[in-house]
Amino acid sequence: MTVDKMTDLEIPTLEEIRTTRAHIDPYVLRTPMWRWQNQAVEEAFGAETEVWLKLELFQRTGTFKPRGAVNDILQLDAEARARGVTAVSAGNHAIAVAYAAQIFGISAKVVMPASAPQFRVEKSRSYGAEVVLVADVYEGFAEVERIQEEEGRAFVHPFDSRTIVTGQATVGLEVCEDAPPLDMLIVPIGGGGLAAGIGAAVKQLQPACAVFGVEPEGADTMHRSFATGKPESIERVETIATSLGAPSTQSYSLGLCRHFLEDLALVSDEEMLDAMRLLLHEMKLAVEPACAASTAALLGPLREQAVGKRVGLILCGSNIGVDTFVELIGQGTDG
């Protein structure tokens, strides 16, 4: 890590990000970069606009999350591994921690809200994790603290640790290595770990690339935190993009996002549903709402800025059951 003297931020260096990528390589995939070329893109932005997709939905467990979880558990010593790990998540981080724990042969107890899709609960269990269901994600953080104290398990934070952020930064490293130089890159934001890591990698490799974060209107914690300059919370998460429903921001990932992101965008549930339909119809990709957020921002609030540019979109995950997917994309249509 290097410390930025102006901000006191401990920023992952390129050497650290590359080393991390090598360390996690046996356990994660190098997901493709794909140029989205079809009539819909040309009609929306013109022939001079290039849209590149980082297909992280093809990652092991279905999202980018194993990058950070594997990196975090790799840092634990033998004594800590013997005690096992714990995590709190609406689904994707829990699945990733369960996967990483299974890899290293250690015990995982993950806390999830009772409203979490059954698909994600069962996927966590399929990797051998014990799942504890609680009323909501707010109660989940309290429960995971209790588990830490009583069982001595290591807490794998969903977004606000240096090991998590550096693991997620490997997404940005791959983007810069596998695509032509970008003018813009759009990244979904939940707690901000992915955006913080990607921003750190991309701005060191391609300083001219403007990195934008996108949040759902019903989970705008990063917007609120940018406005006040400090971590903020929301009383309720009210969005179909539950993977982006962090109830609060935390200081480290917030600081990196403020340092590296050009700006933030907000998208509605309706805009994410439209983007889900477009990705299905034009790319044959069945994605969860969070994954569609970057596409929704491109087609909505960031549209004018993207015209004539080379734009990258992070497609972050696809952990959604068939029934839920069909129900969501059918909303507001004639069937």
Side-chain angles (χ1 to χ4, degrees):
M1 297 279 171
T2 59
V3 177
D4 185 281
K5 294 181 180 179
M6 298 295 291
T7 62
D8 291 327
L9 281 174
E10 295 181 337
I11 298 171
T13 65
L14 286 178
E15 180 182 1
E16 288 168 317
I17 296 169
R18 290 185 174 117
T19 299
T20 295
R21 184 64 187 83
H23 287 167
I24 67 175
D25 185 68
Y27 316 109
V28 304
L29 303 176
R30 188 182 189 96
T31 56
M33 286 293 300
W34 180 266
R35 185 178 173 188
W36 190 356
Q37 299 181 81
N38 60 21
Q39 186 176 355
V41 172
E42 290 191 7
E43 288 179 351
F45 300 103
E48 295 183 357
T49 304
E50 293 184 21
V51 179
W52 288 81
L53 308 179
K54 176 58 170 171
L55 299 172
E56 196 62 12
L57 74 165
F58 293 155
Q59 185 54 260
R60 296 192 189 278
T61 81
T63 74
F64 69 93
K65 289 285 191 177
R67 296 174 182 265
V70 167
N71 189 45
D72 195 82
I73 292 176
L74 278 170
Q75 314 306 316
L76 299 178
D77 60 26
E79 184 178 339
R81 292 190 187 191
R83 292 193 299 268
V85 295
T86 187
V88 57
S89 166
N92 288 333
H93 180 61
I95 295 167
V97 170
Y99 163 75
Q102 185 185 70
I103 287 173
F104 299 114
I106 64 178
S107 168
K109 180 181 283 190
V110 298
V111 181
M112 303 174 70
S115 60
Q118 191 63 25
F119 175 87
R120 296 179 186 176
V121 173
E122 293 304 324
K123 197 164 184 179
S124 297
R125 288 174 174 154
S126 75
Y127 289 115
E130 178 183 349
V131 177
V132 179
L133 297 177
V134 294
D136 53 39
V137 70
Y138 300 91
E139 185 178 320
F141 276 94
E143 176 64 14
V144 88
E145 286 184 16
R146 185 194 65 77
I147 292 170
Q148 282 181 273
E149 292 175 3
E150 294 184 4
E151 301 182 23
R153 292 176 180 269
F155 178 41
V156 184
H157 199 284
F159 57 84
D160 198 60
S161 76
R162 289 184 294 178
T163 51
I164 292 291
V165 168
T166 306
Q168 318 310 24
T170 62
V171 178
L173 176 68
E174 292 175 19
V175 167
C176 292
E177 291 178 345
D178 297 345
L182 300 174
D183 300 304
M184 291 175 60
L185 181 62
I186 306 174
V187 187
I189 288 182
L194 178 64
I198 288 178
V202 171
K203 295 302 286 187
Q204 291 181 79
L205 287 164
Q206 296 180 12
C209 178
V211 182
F212 292 83
V214 54
E215 287 185 299
E217 291 176 350
D220 62 343
T221 49
M222 191 63 71
H223 274 79
R224 298 184 187 207
S225 301
F226 268 41
T228 64
K230 60 185 179 65
E232 297 290 347
S233 301
I234 54 176
E235 292 183 3
R236 290 181 303 277
V237 174
E238 297 180 318
T239 176
I240 59 172
T242 55
S243 300
L244 303 182
S248 65
T249 55
Q250 300 293 324
S251 58
Y252 181 61
S253 49
L254 169 61
L256 289 174
C257 284
R258 292 184 69 205
H259 188 68
F260 287 118
L261 299 190
E262 183 80 11
D263 204 351
L264 301 174
L266 280 175
V267 292
S268 67
D269 283 1
E270 291 73 20
E271 288 174 314
M272 286 185 285
L273 288 171
D274 286 341
M276 288 172 68
R277 296 184 191 107
L278 181 68
L279 288 165
L280 178 66
H281 295 155
E282 301 294 337
M283 287 292 294
K284 310 309 175 191
L285 296 175
V287 305
E288 61 178 280
C291 185
S294 54
T295 305
L298 175 66
L299 296 172
L302 299 179
R303 185 183 192 119
E304 290 187 7
Q305 296 182 62
V307 173
K309 305 285 182 61
R310 183 178 287 139
V311 185
L313 304 180
I314 304 297
L315 299 194
C316 59
S318 60
N319 278 329
I320 187 168
V322 173
D323 292 345
T324 303
F325 180 78
V326 172
E327 179 184 354
L328 284 174
I329 64 168
Q331 291 181 16
T333 69
D334 293 329

